[in-house]
Amino acid sequence: MLKALIFDMDGTLVHSDPVHLQAFAEVLSPEGVAVDEHIYRSTIIGRTNESIFATLLPHRTIEEQEAFADEKEAAFRRLALDLKPLDGLVALLDWARERGIKVALVTNAPRLNAEHMLDVLGLTERFPVQITIDQVARGKPDPLPYLTALERLGVRADEAVAFEDSPSGMKAAKAAGLFSFGMLTGLTAQEMRDVGADATIEDFHAPALWDVLNSRAAA
C-alpha cells in the first residue's frame, strides 16, 4: 500500500534550474569559468556542491571551493523569488493529505536553500520531513538521503514513491529500493530511463502518474 511520497526539490517541485544556472554563471564568470546549458547538464545537475566546485575550480583549495559554493547559494536565494510549483504539484499534495499519505523532501541542496524555496513556493507546512545535504554524511547518488527519509517517515521502500529529475537523484532513489518517476524538466525520457526511472512524466498532471498512484493507494 502507498504510504509516502518523497520528492527531490530543484527540477522536481519547481523548475528552478535556470535560476541555478544564472547563479553559477554569476559567481564563476570572474574565475573565467563559463557556465552554459551544456556545462550545467553535464557537470552540475543533481551533484553536490562539493563535487561541482572541485570539478570546476580544481586549482582552488577546499576552503576556497566551499566559499564559492556559499556565494553561489546566496546568489540563488537572492534570484529565486518568483518561482511557482510545478503544474499539478499542489493538487497531488492535497490528494496525499486527504488519504493520510506522508510526504518528504530529499535534496542535495543546503538547508537554507530548502527553507527558502519551500517558503517562496508556499509549501513549507506540506513537508514535515526534510532531508538536506547538511543532515547526511553522503549525498545523492548515495542512497543514504532516501534511506534516512524512509526511516523518519516510518515506512518501507516498497510503500513509497520517489520523484527525481537528475541522474544522481534517480540512482539514489533506485538504490534505496523505491519506485521512481523521472521528471522531464531537464533531461529526456530516455536519459531518465537509462539511469533507472520506472516511468517518466512532464508534470504532476500526467496520466501515467495517476495510474500508478491510484493503483498503489487502492492496494
Side-chain angles (χ1 to χ4, degrees):
M1 183 174 180
L2 181 63
K3 294 185 178 180
L5 303 177
I6 307 180
F7 299 82
D8 174 50
M9 184 172 71
D10 293 297
T12 300
L13 299 184
V14 55
H15 189 33
S16 52
D17 287 346
V19 184
H20 278 289
L21 193 158
Q22 183 180 355
F24 274 108
E26 178 181 303
V27 169
L28 292 173
S29 178
E31 292 295 299
V33 178
V35 178
D36 56 17
E37 186 71 27
H38 171 71
I39 293 296
Y40 188 83
R41 284 166 54 89
S42 64
T43 309
I44 293 174
I45 187 170
R47 298 174 65 191
T48 64
N49 274 340
E50 179 182 10
S51 174
I52 293 166
F53 284 92
T55 299
L56 296 178
L57 298 176
H59 57 289
R60 292 286 195 167
T61 66
I62 292 176
E63 291 76 15
E64 289 171 333
Q65 291 168 1
E66 291 173 348
F68 275 103
D70 290 343
E71 183 182 353
K72 178 267 162 182
E73 299 304 354
F76 172 78
R77 291 190 293 272
R78 171 171 48 80
L79 295 166
L81 297 174
D82 193 31
L83 295 171
K84 304 297 181 185
L86 203 65
D87 286 351
L89 174 62
V90 174
L92 172 56
L93 295 176
D94 288 344
W95 177 88
R97 182 163 59 187
E98 290 167 2
R99 288 157 179 77
I101 295 171
K102 300 176 182 180
V103 173
L105 180 74
V106 171
T107 176
N108 270 351
R111 178 182 57 81
L112 287 177
N113 276 30
E115 291 177 349
H116 173 79
M117 183 66 73
L118 292 176
D119 182 57
V120 167
L121 297 176
L123 298 175
T124 300
E125 75 284 356
R126 300 295 195 112
F127 289 89
V129 173
Q130 300 173 23
I131 308 300
T132 61
I133 193 65
D134 325 72
Q135 301 178 41
V136 290
R138 300 177 304 280
K140 307 171 192 177
D142 193 285
L144 180 60
Y146 273 100
L147 296 174
T148 304
L150 291 170
E151 181 179 4
R152 294 204 188 163
L153 290 166
V155 303
R156 302 190 311 268
D158 63 355
E159 298 173 324
V161 168
F163 300 88
E164 277 286 353
D165 73 305
S166 71
S168 64
M170 184 57 67
K171 290 174 183 177
K174 293 306 299 178
L178 283 83
F179 183 98
S180 304
F181 283 98
M183 307 300 300
L184 304 183
T185 52
L187 302 180
T188 67
Q190 187 60 55
E191 286 172 324
M192 292 307 299
R193 286 194 294 268
D194 286 346
V195 291
D198 294 289
T200 61
I201 55 176
E202 294 186 355
D203 59 34
F204 296 104
H205 291 305
L209 165 65
W210 290 99
D211 287 345
V212 170
L213 294 185
N214 286 322
S215 173
R216 289 187 169 229

